[in-house]
Each structure stands twice: as structure tokens, then as C-alpha cells.
Amino acid sequence: DPTDPTDPTDPTVPTDPVTTGFEAVETFDGLNLANVNGQNGWAATAGSGEVVLDPAGGGNQVLQVSTESGILYKTATIAEGTTRMMFLRLRFEEHGRYSFGLSNLSNPDEYGDFKPELGMAAATASDPGNDFRVANGLLPTEVYDVLTTLVPGTWYNVWVLVDNSSDLFDVWLNADPGG
């Protein structure tokens, strides 16, 4: 059931769009271990991201973002009037400031370009933790809801259900290894 990411009856071949209705936008496994810019439709500012072997081990390849001021994006479309699920896995090693999400712009380059916008704020006296948050309302309201506190070195599964007809979204997050 694509509206319930915790449903254990989800198909066993999650990248097969014929049987699941899902389409993999990127797995990184077919890319070169190098800067992601120019690979399979990715655009990235210099030094923003590179494809590396999963630091947790295994043979998976992942996108490593090692800067707080880079811009990375890949085009994917959610047709107007439709509802789609975005799934990604996320891991961080130390507290930082970052935003990610979906955008109606062809070249998003700042947090206000994302709808929905998810991320982590820079550590401050009022936010010393690793709070993972989501923008609440249309940006640039700068009103955020904290979803949870993240633990460094842990892989997280993130699902974002986007209803493009009503401009609403729901977010789920867990740290279960199998999803």
C-alpha cells in the first residue's frame, strides 16, 4: 500500500514501476564512484556531492554530500493533480545545516525553493541537537515542526507523500534497516 510505508505486504521488487507503481529516480548503483555532477541527469556545484561506497559497508553506492553550501538536484516530475510518494534514505555523521525536498523550479538553489522542505538546522543555543524538521506551511514562513532527533551514523528511511492537487504532503521517518 503506497500510502502506508510501514505496510509489511509491500511488493518485493520496489523498483519495478509495472507491478508497484513506483519508479526509481536514482539508486546510485549504476553511477561512477566520482563527482555526481553530470551523471544520469544530476547537477551539482563543484565539490557538493560524490558517489561513494556506503560507509556502513556492503556493496551499495550512495551520494555523499560533504558541504553545507552546495546545490544538488535531479529532475523528477509529479504531474499536476496527482499524488506520488518520494522515498529516500538519509544518514549523517555530524550536525550540520541542510535542506532537501521537491521543487516546482527547474534549478532550485535555496531552502525556499522546496515544497515540501525537510532538513536539519545549524546548531544554535536554541537548537543544540540533531533535530530533523519539516517546514509547516508555505515558505518563507520559517515555521518548522520537529519530527525527531536523529542519531549520527544511522540510516533513516524517509517517505514523503505529495498531493500535487492540494499542495499537501505527509512525512514518515524510521530507522528500520529493512525499511
Side-chain angles (χ1 to χ4, degrees), residues 14 22 58 62 71 97 113 116 132 141 145-146 159 169 173:
F22 293 95
V62 299
I71 298 170
R97 180 178 61 196
D113 292 345
F132 185 70
T141 62
D145 292 329
V146 173
W159 293 265
F169 61 91
L173 176 108

Side-chain angles (χ1 to χ4, degrees), residues 85-88 90 96-103 110-122 131-137 139 143-148 150 156-162 168-174:
M85 179 74 75
M86 176 179 76
F87 172 78
L88 62 102
L90 161 71
R97 180 178 61 196
Y98 59 85
S99 293
F100 65 91
L102 298 169
S103 177
E110 59 183 72
Y111 73 93
D113 292 345
F114 297 106
K115 300 173 206 166
E117 180 215 353
L118 299 101
M120 182 182 293
D131 290 341
F132 185 70
R133 60 194 201 155
V134 61
N136 183 349
L139 296 175
V143 175
Y144 294 89
D145 292 329
V146 173
L147 299 180
T148 192
L150 301 180
Y156 290 92
N157 303 300
V158 181
W159 293 265
V160 182
L161 181 67
V162 179
L168 296 174
F169 61 91
D170 291 309
V171 178
W172 294 270
L173 176 108
N174 74 30

Side-chain angles (χ1 to χ4, degrees), residues 44-70:
T45 55
S48 294
E50 75 180 87
V51 180
V52 299
L53 291 174
D54 183 343
N60 291 330
Q61 293 184 184
V62 299
L63 176 64
Q64 178 179 337
V65 179
S66 54
T67 180
E68 291 186 8
S69 61

Side-chain angles (χ1 to χ4, degrees), residues 12-26:
T12 57
V13 185
T15 59
D16 179 10
V18 174
T19 60
T20 65
F22 293 95
E23 179 180 347
V25 174
E26 188 63 70

